[in-house]
Amino acid sequence: MEVYFSGTIERIIFENPSNFYRILLLDIEDTDAEDFDDFEIIVTGTMADVIEGEDYTFWGQIVQHSKYGEQLQISRYERAKPTSKGLVKYFSSSHFKGIGLKTAQKIVDSYGDNTIDEILEHPEKLEGISGLSAKNREAFLSTLRLNYGTEMVLA
């Protein structure tokens, strides 16, 4: 039986970039799984670039792992609208070389609501961000387009 779990990604435990397989810890806010009374669950499966600290809903089957106990093996997932704090953390992560916390905050402040969609629609605004070189800007856009496209396909 398919169940869902909604919550915040507490931590990415494992990720394989070659096949997008990830294992993560989810702080549960809501679920329709009967008799599940824990406040967190291990989530496993194929996922695009998920962001720690952001809210997602995952659908799948609860499976019993012989060593690690109950886990959710996902069939699909959906990200809630990212928060500005989560986006700053994401943009300043190892996924985006040359982007630190200050530059990431400037990007989020510049684009406001729907930051990722706005960046993809109006990448020229990135030229006005101090501390973001042309090389880093192109790498940032390229990585963002790749991750966003992959996420749309996998989700």
Side-chain angles (χ1 to χ4, degrees):
M1 182 178 99
E2 187 175 73
V3 296
Y4 79 87
F5 286 86
S6 294
T8 306
I9 295 178
E10 175 66 30
R11 180 167 45 103
I12 298 171
I13 298 167
F14 172 81
E15 55 188 351
N16 183 340
S18 66
N19 64 7
F20 301 106
Y21 182 81
R22 288 177 168 60
I23 300 172
L24 53 91
L25 180 63
L26 184 74
D27 280 342
I28 301 167
E29 292 170 17
D30 190 25
T31 184
D32 65 352
E34 295 177 14
D35 300 328
F36 192 89
D37 56 3
D38 206 347
F39 61 93
E40 57 189 17
I41 190 167
I42 298 293
V43 177
T44 66
T46 303
M47 306 168 225
D49 210 12
V50 294
I51 305 169
E52 287 181 355
E54 287 298 318
D55 293 337
Y56 290 81
T57 299
F58 296 94
W59 289 266
Q61 307 289 324
I62 295 178
V63 296
Q64 187 68 32
H65 188 280
S66 59
K67 187 173 182 181
Y68 301 111
E70 282 188 320
Q71 300 180 347
L72 180 69
Q73 188 173 38
I74 69 163
S75 56
R76 61 190 170 103
Y77 71 99
E78 184 177 280
R79 180 172 67 180
K81 184 177 182 231
T83 63
S84 59
K85 182 181 172 186
L87 284 171
V88 169
K89 185 175 181 179
Y90 176 53
F91 292 158
S92 63
S93 74
S94 62
H95 297 286
F96 299 97
K97 303 287 187 246
I99 309 285
L101 280 171
K102 288 181 183 179
T103 303
Q105 186 65 57
K106 290 177 191 175
I107 292 169
V108 171
D109 290 346
S110 174
Y111 282 94
D113 290 342
N114 300 315
T115 298
I116 293 176
D117 290 333
E118 287 295 316
I119 290 170
L120 296 174
E121 286 180 37
H122 305 287
E124 67 279 359
K125 280 178 65 175
L126 289 172
E127 294 172 19
I129 307 275
S130 63
L132 188 60
S133 69
K135 180 181 172 186
N136 286 346
R137 184 172 57 246
E138 287 307 313
F140 174 77
L141 278 169
S142 175
T143 302
L144 189 62
R145 285 183 182 119
L146 177 66
N147 289 347
Y148 189 70
T150 303
E151 183 174 308
M152 292 298 104
V153 169
L154 291 175

